[in-house]
Amino acid sequence: MHVMVLGAGITGVTTAWYLKQAGFEVSVIDRQPQAGQETSFANGGQISVSHPEPWANPAAPFLALRWLGKHDAPLRFSPQASLDQWRWALSFLHECLPWRAKRNTEAIAALAIHSQRELHRVRAAAGIENDYDAREQGILHLFFSASDFAHAPARAEQLMQLGIEARACSAAECLAIEPALATLAPTLAGGLYAPGDENGDAMRFTGALAGVLARDGVQFHYQTTIERLTHTGGLIDGVEVRDREGRAGTLTANAYVVCLGSFSPLMVHALGERLPIYPVKGYSITAPVADPARAPQVSLTDESRRIVCSRLGDRLRIAGTAELNGFDLTIDPERGRAILDWARTRLPGAIDPEQAQLWTGLRPATPSNLPIIGKGRGVNLWYNTGHGTLGWTLACGSAEILAGLMHGRAPTVRFPVRHP
């Protein structure tokens, strides 16, 4: 059976890996010249099992109101005359109800734990452990006000109940875990440390895994733009594409898996499918380390600013902010400056700001933060998409579940897979 995966980001490539391991013939289509060049290209780098709580939680509406109208706010909402945007926003508010937030948190936690185990299996089987600047020193969540830090013990307890190791740490304990934070001693209230978390370069991982797959016979159709899916009734007949020279054609398979991130709803709308995915723009900077002693070894999350920082070899990746502004990929220099300012104040002297590379990408977010994994309405149509900010964290587990479903196996973890 030939399965065609649409999209060569981290979700598409891990899906191709599991399908290949399951014995399927696999091909992959992507408009970029190589794998991992869009949302996977320069994300925050964290494999953050310790952050299962979705954006949609009981506190979210109050935070959104507090940030409304602030240009440098972590979340910026740009209202548009878009039915999709407002439908998504209303669904998001519904997911903020306490019982739904609890259900979603438990599902994300289960999938994240499963996915990290699968990541270790994949990288060992593919022989790519040393190919993506992997670092297994945990994630340290930082709090800069006593009121915020007051919630850390309860949050650590909740994570432990979900099966995720975590502990609240005093400011002194944070400095012992990560000495590069020494300059923050006067302002740091405390932290929450998740020693089992890790980080790495998602784009390099995706590229390395795609290289192994290509050597094993998976065909990658790069620089190939997907125009539309053709269908007869409930059966997908093929994918109309256009290559880099503008030539049109049709690629066919027995089954199709949509892994197109934010663009997934656009691709299947004509089939009568409505996927609750909206693009949420995020920013990152990647800069060479200027002083190794000042650059953290442990991955960091600034809980007050919603900014994350990961050491990737001799580089630092600092990422954050969220904008609901459609598919606009225009770079706002002020958003980039805000991240640079964070680096200057929180980690002075750690990076060379003159060589910092600013990037923006679209996170494919569902209102619940739960990815869409499972069957489409079409007889031979499947989905593995909508991972929001957790694509790197959830990729391998999601792909393992999807491949199992296509083989007729129920998921080994409790997760609400999609049924038509």
Side-chain angles (χ1 to χ4, degrees):
M1 182 174 175
H2 176 198
V3 182
M4 187 167 288
V5 178
L6 312 185
I10 192 166
T11 303
V13 171
T14 52
T15 296
W17 168 268
Y18 280 95
L19 292 173
K20 177 67 175 175
Q21 298 303 303
F24 293 102
E25 177 188 350
V26 183
S27 58
V28 184
I29 309 175
D30 198 277
R31 63 185 177 183
Q32 297 294 341
Q34 54 189 349
Q37 298 301 293
E38 298 206 16
T39 303
S40 306
F41 183 74
N43 70 3
Q46 291 185 339
I47 298 162
S48 51
V49 180
S50 65
H51 205 293
E53 186 180 42
W55 285 357
N57 61 73
F62 302 101
L63 287 173
L65 287 173
R66 191 174 78 188
W67 292 331
L68 198 62
K70 294 184 179 180
H71 193 72
D72 61 346
L75 172 64
R76 190 163 71 190
F77 179 55
S78 301
Q80 298 177 341
S82 166
L83 182 61
D84 289 337
Q85 186 190 61
W86 287 101
R87 183 187 289 119
W88 188 93
L90 289 173
S91 296
F92 179 89
L93 289 175
H94 179 60
E95 297 295 340
C96 291
L97 292 170
W99 70 271
R100 294 191 70 84
K102 180 177 183 294
R103 182 205 68 166
N104 296 337
T105 299
E106 291 171 351
I108 293 169
L111 180 56
I113 293 168
H114 174 61
S115 190
Q116 188 178 38
R117 287 196 297 261
E118 290 299 316
L119 167 65
H120 295 167
R121 289 180 54 198
V122 170
R123 70 187 187 190
I128 59 173
E129 299 100 320
N130 302 317
D131 291 348
Y132 65 100
D133 294 319
R135 190 175 291 266
E136 299 181 49
Q137 292 175 260
I139 293 177
L140 182 58
H141 302 256
L142 304 175
F143 302 92
F144 292 91
S145 75
S147 59
D148 287 342
F149 179 56
H151 300 288
R155 183 167 155 188
E157 178 62 28
Q158 179 193 33
L159 289 171
M160 293 292 284
Q161 291 175 1
L162 293 169
I164 301 166
E165 185 181 358
R167 67 177 188 270
C169 304
S170 67
E173 289 172 316
C174 290
L175 299 183
I177 292 167
E178 182 45 77
L181 300 175
T183 57
L184 298 180
T187 58
L188 185 61
L192 185 149
Y193 182 49
D197 285 353
E198 52 194 283
N199 64 275
D201 190 320
M203 185 271 287
R204 290 187 176 180
F205 174 90
T206 305
L209 191 60
V212 173
L213 286 169
R215 290 195 296 273
D216 288 346
V218 172
Q219 185 173 8
F220 284 84
H221 302 276
Y222 290 125
Q223 294 182 293
T224 301
T225 301
I226 301 169
E227 301 282 343
R228 70 185 186 100
L229 300 176
T230 62
H231 63 101
T232 303
L235 186 71
I236 306 299
D237 300 319
V239 185
E240 290 188 358
V241 298
R242 195 168 296 275
D243 68 14
R244 61 182 175 181
E245 297 176 0
R247 295 173 299 194
T250 301
L251 299 174
T252 62
N254 302 113
Y256 304 83
V257 184
V258 176
C259 302
L260 293 169
S262 297
F263 297 90
S264 299
L266 304 181
M267 188 54 57
V268 300
H269 181 75
L271 305 176
E273 295 269 40
R274 179 176 289 166
L275 300 183
I277 296 172
Y278 192 80
V280 179
K281 182 162 67 171
Y283 287 83
S284 76
I285 62 166
T286 306
V289 170
D291 184 347
R294 294 172 180 264
Q297 302 286 339
V298 177
S299 188
L300 307 175
T301 297
D302 184 336
E303 293 287 342
S304 64
R305 295 289 302 279
R306 304 297 197 272
I307 287 178
V308 305
C309 174
S310 295
R311 181 76 172 264
L312 304 173
D314 58 359
R315 303 168 293 150
L316 272 190
R317 170 78 48 74
I318 305 171
T321 77
E323 294 181 24
L324 275 71
N325 192 25
F327 289 88
D328 179 17
L329 275 170
T330 305
I331 290 181
D332 182 345
E334 286 192 37
R335 301 296 261 184
R337 278 195 294 272
I339 297 176
L340 273 174
D341 288 343
W342 183 92
R344 292 190 185 100
T345 55
R346 300 296 201 216
L347 302 170
I351 63 170
D352 180 356
E354 299 301 319
Q355 296 188 56
Q357 298 178 324
L358 177 60
W359 173 87
T360 187
L362 300 175
R363 310 168 180 126
T366 64
S368 64
N369 266 54
L370 298 181
I372 299 168
I373 308 169
K375 191 74 173 58
R377 282 188 189 174
V379 174
N380 54 348
L381 181 66
W382 299 81
Y383 295 118
N384 187 14
T385 188
H387 293 73
T389 59
L390 295 176
W392 194 189
T393 302
L394 304 179
C396 291
S398 300
E400 190 276 335
I401 289 174
L402 189 280
L405 291 172
M406 294 185 71
H407 248 302
R409 298 195 311 269
T412 56
V413 297
R414 294 184 62 183
F415 187 84
V417 297
R418 188 179 193 273
H419 300 284

